[in-house]
Amino acid sequence: QLQASGGGLVQAGGSLRLSCSASGRTFSTYVMGWFRQAPGKEREFVAGISRSGGSTLYADSVKGRLTISRDNAKNTVYLQMSSLKPEDTAVYYCAATRSIWLKPAADEYNYWGQGTLVTVSS
């Protein structure tokens, strides 16, 4: 089970840190990802991180502004968001996949959190 938190309202240029905590003792065996869905748009990949945390993958639209990380001892994955833009406004979801590879496709992920809303005002 995945539980995302940390969303809220922030002004453009501001920062937020999202967290996603996982239950169970197998967190370190899952590749983790963050996705987002803006109103009227399809869900899109934001960032992914390997099981050890040694490899990451980002959507071009967020490179240099968002950073994914994980703490396997705490069963938690993070998304540090900086230099936020109004177009970053969306519901953000964390997800886990049993695949050993970093994958940007949503249908590769087996488990999903409930989502946390990020609103960036201009």
Side-chain angles (χ1 to χ4, degrees):
Q1 188 173 6
L2 301 174
Q3 183 75 31
S5 61
L9 174 64
V10 63
Q11 288 188 330
S15 300
L16 277 177
R17 188 176 81 156
L18 306 184
S19 300
C20 174
S21 60
S23 59
R25 293 178 290 181
T26 60
F27 178 74
S28 62
T29 66
Y30 289 89
V31 167
M32 299 298 296
W34 284 97
F35 291 77
R36 67 186 181 186
Q37 187 166 19
K41 295 188 176 181
E42 294 187 353
R43 190 171 298 189
E44 65 174 357
F45 173 78
V46 174
I49 189 166
S50 63
R51 293 178 294 179
S52 68
S55 297
T56 56
L57 180 68
Y58 294 94
D60 288 344
S61 59
V62 306
K63 282 181 181 176
R65 300 187 300 114
L66 275 59
T67 303
I68 188 171
S69 62
R70 69 190 295 163
D71 186 336
N72 287 341
K74 295 182 178 180
N75 282 12
T76 303
V77 61
Y78 304 97
L79 186 67
Q80 179 67 48
M81 310 170 71
S82 305
S83 301
L84 284 164
K85 304 175 181 180
E87 50 263 44
D88 294 317
T89 295
V91 176
Y92 283 73
Y93 300 88
C94 59
T97 175
R98 290 188 291 265
S99 170
I100 63 172
W101 306 109
L102 277 172
K103 297 290 185 81
D107 59 7
E108 295 281 352
Y109 287 76
N110 308 105
Y111 305 101
W112 292 82
Q114 86 290 0
T116 184
L117 176 63
V118 173
T119 303
V120 184
S121 63
S122 57

